Amino acid sequence: MDILEEIRQALGKNKDLSKDFKYKIFEFVLRFHEMYPYVSLDNFKERISTVTFDRIGPYEKRGTFVYEPQNNRVLYSSKRLKEEDYDIDNLLMKAIVAMVSSTDTYYGFDKDEKLYSLNKAVTEMIATSVVGNEGICDYEEEIVCANLISKLIGVETLIEAYFNNDADLVLKKMIELEV
């Protein structure tokens, strides 16, 4: 069976998501797959059938929209989403990108938080490349740095490291280039 059909079936199993929301997620996965056909969607397929979307409590300082791989849930601040000009499509795409690259405890190459900001920026860059961003970006300075790093080591290296959960690849490449 085709991975996209498997994802469609996995989405169908998630009783917490509305039909329209499932359609939107699938549409974004199709766009992602067209742009990054070499990236495995197996993690996403496994996670999408059970992912939940939960509000961040008023006293939690986790951000506007955060994917938690440990609990397979997306946390969002309804207050910030209402009060500020965020692009909901971009936020959803960031969650999808995080699920695609997730392990049981982290996503991207943020295993030990040594490259936390770069990981956030690469997540943002990939999501924006797929669906754009017409709203607020929480990581503008980090994206500037990520763009500079990508000019030095190559955007392909950043993307490979991100989807293979390999922070060492970024660090080794920087050492190799004496950056």
Side-chain angles (χ1 to χ4, degrees), residues 11 22-32 89 130:
L11 263 168
K22 290 176 186 180
Y23 180 82
K24 176 70 96 178
I25 291 170
F26 192 72
E27 175 189 341
F28 287 177
V29 170
L30 285 174
R31 286 189 201 178
F32 175 85
D89 288 351
V130 177

Side-chain angles (χ1 to χ4, degrees), residues 4 7-30 44 48-51 53 92 96:
L4 295 173
I7 289 170
R8 186 188 312 273
Q9 288 180 7
L11 263 168
K13 293 177 184 176
N14 192 320
K15 303 299 182 208
D16 292 337
L17 307 178
S18 73
K19 183 179 177 181
D20 290 340
F21 197 51
K22 290 176 186 180
Y23 180 82
K24 176 70 96 178
I25 291 170
F26 192 72
E27 175 189 341
F28 287 177
V29 170
L30 285 174
F44 183 79
I48 195 60
S49 63
T50 58
V51 71
F53 286 74
L92 177 58
I96 291 168

Side-chain angles (χ1 to χ4, degrees), residues 22-124:
K22 290 176 186 180
Y23 180 82
K24 176 70 96 178
I25 291 170
F26 192 72
E27 175 189 341
F28 287 177
V29 170
L30 285 174
R31 286 189 201 178
F32 175 85
H33 190 58
E34 287 174 8
M35 291 188 73
Y36 302 97
Y38 51 87
V39 173
S40 172
L41 295 174
D42 290 334
N43 285 337
F44 183 79
K45 178 190 74 175
E46 296 303 319
R47 292 175 176 273
I48 195 60
S49 63
T50 58
V51 71
T52 58
F53 286 74
D54 301 309
R55 289 184 179 161
I56 295 174
Y59 303 107
E60 293 182 76
K61 303 262 185 194
R62 296 187 184 210
T64 305
F65 210 81
V66 179
Y67 177 65
E68 251 185 14
Q70 305 89 327
N71 302 314
N72 193 29
R73 65 184 187 156
V74 177
L75 301 170
Y76 63 92
S77 170
S78 56
K79 180 180 179 190
R80 287 187 73 186
L81 290 175
K82 286 177 190 171
E83 293 175 357
E84 299 181 38
D85 189 25
Y86 283 94
D87 184 329
I88 302 300
D89 288 351
N90 181 269
L91 295 174
L92 177 58
M93 192 66 225
K94 284 192 282 192
I96 291 168
V97 168
M99 278 190 269
V100 167
S101 70
S102 64
T103 69
D104 289 337
T105 56
Y106 65 98
Y107 65 89
F109 44 67
D110 191 33
K111 182 177 182 176
D112 53 14
E113 296 191 355
K114 287 181 184 173
L115 298 175
Y116 175 84
S117 295
L118 183 60
N119 195 67
K120 290 288 188 181
V122 172
T123 304
E124 181 79 40

